[in-house]
Amino acid sequence: MKTLVIGASTNPERYSFLAVNSLLKHNHEVVAIGSHQDKIENVDIITEKLPFEEVHTVSLYLNPLHQKEYYDYVIGLQPKRVIFNPGTENPDFFDLLSANNIPYEAACTLVLLATNQF
């Protein structure tokens, strides 16, 4: 199951960094987009919106103001769900996803993984 983390960071104090590591620990395939090219473990953080195939879950770590440039991109990926981690909740994006039949949830990727609900 492929997960795209948007807002990935190599700062070990950021939740996106912890999420990438936890996804890997739980044997999930991870791709990541961030503001700077870098690497977390074996995952390249890229800055481009590449047309990844078969993305099951998009896990957002961007505040709503920075999400707008990703609306069409995420919808185009047709993921099975989008997770809005704490602080990323965005009613405008919720509406767009609903209109495109893409399920979403306001949840924490780290908690979902830790409680086997991912």
Side-chain angles (χ1 to χ4, degrees), residues 62-69 71 87-91:
L62 290 177
N63 75 45
L65 292 175
H66 292 108
Q67 291 172 18
K68 287 182 183 182
E69 69 177 278
Y71 289 176
T88 67
E89 298 88 349
N90 182 347

Side-chain angles (χ1 to χ4, degrees), residues 68-117:
K68 287 182 183 182
E69 69 177 278
Y70 288 93
Y71 289 176
D72 292 338
Y73 173 68
V74 170
I75 290 166
L77 293 174
Q78 288 293 296
K80 303 291 183 232
R81 70 173 167 177
V82 177
I83 297 174
F84 289 82
N85 287 281
T88 67
E89 298 88 349
N90 182 347
D92 292 337
F93 204 176
F94 295 168
D95 292 344
L96 284 170
L97 292 168
S98 291
N100 285 276
N101 299 311
I102 298 172
Y104 66 87
E105 56 187 297
C108 178
T109 296
L110 290 167
V111 171
L112 293 174
L113 288 164
T115 57
N116 294 317
Q117 298 179 66

Side-chain angles (χ1 to χ4, degrees), residues 47-61:
T47 57
E48 301 172 64
K49 299 177 187 92
L50 295 181
F52 295 111
E53 294 186 12
E54 298 181 18
V55 172
H56 181 276
T57 300
V58 173
S59 182
L60 287 174
Y61 288 93

